[in-house]
Amino acid sequence: DAPHVVVIGGGVGGATFAKYMKMYSPETHVTIIEKNKEYQRPYGSSEVIVGRIGMNDITISYDDLKNKHGVNFVFDTVTGVDYDKREVKTAGGTTLKYDRLLVAPGVSFDYSQIPGMDSNEAQSKIVHGWDAGDQLLTLQKQLQAVPVDGTVVVIPPPNPYRCPPGPYERSGLIAQWFINRGDKNAKVIILDPKNGFTVDRTMLQAWNRLYGFNLPESFKGYTAEERATFKKYDTHGKIQWVTADEGGRVVKIDPATMTVETEVSVFKADMINLIPPLKAGKIALDMGLADKSGWCPVDQKTFESTIQPNVHVIGDACIAGQMPKSGYAANSQAKVAALQIKALLAGQEPIEPAFQNTCYALAGRDDYGMFVADFFRLKNGVITRDDYPRYLPFKASDAQYQLSAVYLHAWMKSFTEDIFS
Ligand code: FAD
């Protein structure tokens, strides 16, 4: 009998895995259990908030995976697993038997550490928009309702979280949206629990050029000579970044008065976009696959859970050494996991894996982009980044930023095709 691999979650990780598993091993039965009939991609989804694209542009059909690649689908929510019997159960009452289980449920959101945000009411007024869905439209409406000269507060999460450049890209997109509506004084204030972020060197430089952005004194990512080349403005322009060292850590939010209290001051906002701390998707937590960190430990060669045998976890939910939580990373892990599970099902040794990731981001304008590009290998059991230059060079030209934006838009299209077509 042909083996059966069951996949929980038809997002970037689960869908890529299913397609490549069928390509590498056509005889294997592959079934995705996914709660939504269509996928809404979180990657690139901040552009919905500023109206550059619509919800239809981020909505993707599963038809090709079904019809072209022979992947089976059960559209239902997974509620639990019987590890002894190797059975997955769904809310609708379906039970599926597996030889290997691939878990890729993405992320869940943890409001427990943020006073003021523990009620449903607070969470429906102040939304994250970090998992696509209707929250993007809520943010779009909230942005449109920001008065002239208004203030948007963006609160990025602590590490680790999905899409490291994402909260900063979103801040830039909103700043640019204000410029496009001719709003001279409206601004974005970023209240950060961190002192740096992936692509900070290239992002801050772009903001300094485009948005009258002043470098925070506390930022340590530049040498003194590099810092001296930055333009200094009398006031904060369209974007102000309050780092952790400057008291950016949020200690309380009051949704009724729209005030955000940090360690050192209080900010009044017309719109608040809080991205709370993240954890592995709820089903992974419920299945007991996460450790104390809230993420799922795996053997980083095969992605087999170190907690449950025959269960593999990939994508945002897993702990993958130095790989970030990104779509590109989930896609790269999925291809490796398919090869490894093929080998394991045949009783063969797993291969020596290699991985890649590129996170693209816009500074705000649609034609001003940047990236961080990496290769990874396994070193002493940990997925470790090769030490190559990863970013645009310091003082990259406008043309280099513009070319990066071209890459970004091309990647968005070819990446989606690689997963779902
Ligand atoms: P997901 O893609 O979230 O898929 C999880 C799937 O599991 C979902 O379809 C969900 O419905 C399903 N599921 C969960 N629980 C259950 C259950 N119990 N039963 C059934 N189904 C279930 N990445 C990049 O590489 N480049 C970018 O430019 C980029 N930009 C981003 C911008 C933003 C604003 C955001 C929020 C993210 C961005 N990302 C980007 C990150 C990227 O979207 C994620 O890293 C990626 O989607 C992770 O894939 P995943 O398979 O782990 O999770």
Side-chain angles (χ1 to χ4, degrees):
D1 251 8
H4 190 198
V5 180
V6 173
V7 179
I8 302 178
V12 175
T16 307
F17 171 83
K19 172 177 164 180
Y20 278 80
M21 191 72 217
K22 287 302 286 183
M23 279 176 15
Y24 296 151
S25 177
E27 67 285 358
T28 301
H29 296 296
V30 179
T31 306
I32 293 180
I33 312 177
E34 164 58 51
K35 58 183 166 194
N36 299 312
K37 290 237 159 87
E38 290 175 314
Y39 181 65
Q40 283 183 355
R41 58 171 170 87
Y43 57 93
S45 66
S46 291
E47 289 175 82
V48 173
I49 300 169
V50 294
R52 282 191 204 159
I53 58 173
M55 290 301 278
N56 58 318
D57 295 306
I58 64 164
T59 304
I60 303 155
S61 159
Y62 288 118
D63 285 354
D64 279 355
L65 288 181
K66 247 184 287 184
N67 303 331
K68 254 169 73 180
H69 299 285
V71 176
N72 305 313
F73 276 84
V74 173
F75 290 107
D76 205 343
T77 300
V78 175
T79 50
V81 179
D82 184 328
Y83 292 119
D84 292 335
K85 291 191 187 152
R86 291 199 198 165
E87 281 176 359
V88 185
K89 293 182 195 322
T90 71
T94 302
T95 299
L96 286 184
K97 254 185 138 21
Y98 64 83
D99 294 290
R100 292 265 164 182
L101 181 62
L102 192 287
V103 183
V107 293
S108 58
F109 300 88
D110 179 9
Y111 288 94
S112 65
Q113 307 302 314
I114 310 162
M117 285 304 301
D118 47 1
S119 69
N120 284 340
E121 202 188 342
Q123 289 169 29
S124 51
K125 183 167 182 191
I126 294 175
V127 299
H128 50 75
W130 217 243
D131 206 13
D134 290 346
Q135 289 204 353
L136 292 170
L137 296 175
T138 304
L139 288 169
Q140 189 188 65
K141 283 199 200 95
Q142 289 177 347
L143 180 60
Q144 283 164 1
V146 170
V148 172
D149 296 351
T151 300
V152 174
V153 166
V154 174
I155 307 169
N159 289 324
Y161 60 96
R162 86 169 7 162
C163 194
Y168 309 91
E169 175 186 66
R170 182 176 286 180
S171 302
L173 292 173
I174 294 173
Q176 183 63 42
W177 187 86
F178 284 136
I179 288 176
N180 294 352
R181 86 165 176 186
D183 196 331
K184 289 208 178 64
N185 300 313
K187 57 184 181 295
V188 182
I189 301 176
I190 303 170
L191 300 178
D192 210 323
K194 309 183 294 300
N195 287 310
F197 56 92
T198 305
V199 305
D200 51 16
R201 283 170 54 86
T202 27
M203 186 68 90
L204 302 181
Q205 178 166 259
W207 286 352
N208 186 255
R209 287 183 196 170
L210 301 176
Y211 301 125
F213 172 79
N214 274 325
L215 259 184
E217 283 305 317
S218 64
F219 184 66
K220 299 201 173 63
Y222 297 120
T223 62
E225 294 85 52
E226 286 172 341
R227 179 174 270 278
T229 67
F230 274 75
K231 197 161 176 224
K232 283 203 184 73
Y233 299 90
D234 294 339
T235 57
H236 291 295
K238 283 265 159 294
I239 305 175
Q240 179 185 356
W241 180 37
V242 187
T243 64
D245 279 354
E246 279 158 22
R249 261 191 219 99
V250 170
V251 296
K252 192 181 166 196
I253 296 177
D254 185 348
T257 58
M258 294 294 279
T259 47
V260 184
E261 212 177 293
T262 71
E263 282 168 350
V264 299
S265 47
V266 175
F267 293 82
K268 179 110 183 65
D270 298 295
M271 168 178 168
I272 300 170
N273 181 198
L274 163 72
I275 303 145
L278 277 75
K279 288 183 179 178
K282 181 171 180 301
I283 187 65
L285 305 177
D286 292 350
M287 286 166 66
L289 294 172
D291 65 17
K292 271 196 226 129
S293 70
W295 305 100
C296 304
V298 293
D299 173 338
Q300 293 179 23
K301 190 172 193 179
T302 61
F303 294 91
E304 187 162 359
S305 165
T306 53
I307 298 174
Q308 285 294 339
N310 301 312
V311 178
H312 300 249
V313 188
I314 61 167
D316 289 352
C318 80
I319 300 169
Q322 292 185 338
M323 287 188 94
K325 299 191 182 301
S326 75
Y328 202 130
N331 172 273
S332 184
Q333 292 160 11
K335 292 169 182 174
V336 169
L339 286 171
Q340 307 296 41
I341 289 179
K342 181 186 175 187
L344 292 167
L345 286 170
Q348 292 161 356
E349 280 296 304
I351 55 150
E352 198 55 41
F355 305 90
Q356 51 182 327
N357 176 68
T358 305
C359 284
Y360 295 98
L362 295 168
R365 251 166 52 179
D366 207 33
D367 66 346
Y368 219 80
M370 67 204 69
F371 55 81
V372 52
D374 287 311
F375 285 91
F376 304 86
R377 277 167 239 278
L378 208 59
K379 279 191 191 148
N380 304 319
V382 179
I383 298 175
T384 306
R385 179 158 64 74
D386 278 358
D387 195 14
Y388 293 120
R390 326 164 63 195
Y391 303 112
L392 280 176
F394 185 72
K395 286 285 142 185
S397 65
D398 286 343
Q400 283 172 299
Y401 276 103
Q402 281 158 4
L403 187 57
S404 306
V406 172
Y407 291 158
L408 178 151
H409 293 298
W411 171 82
M412 203 70 75
K413 188 167 175 291
S414 60
F415 182 68
T416 302
E417 281 169 9
D418 180 45
I419 305 164
F420 295 100
S421 297

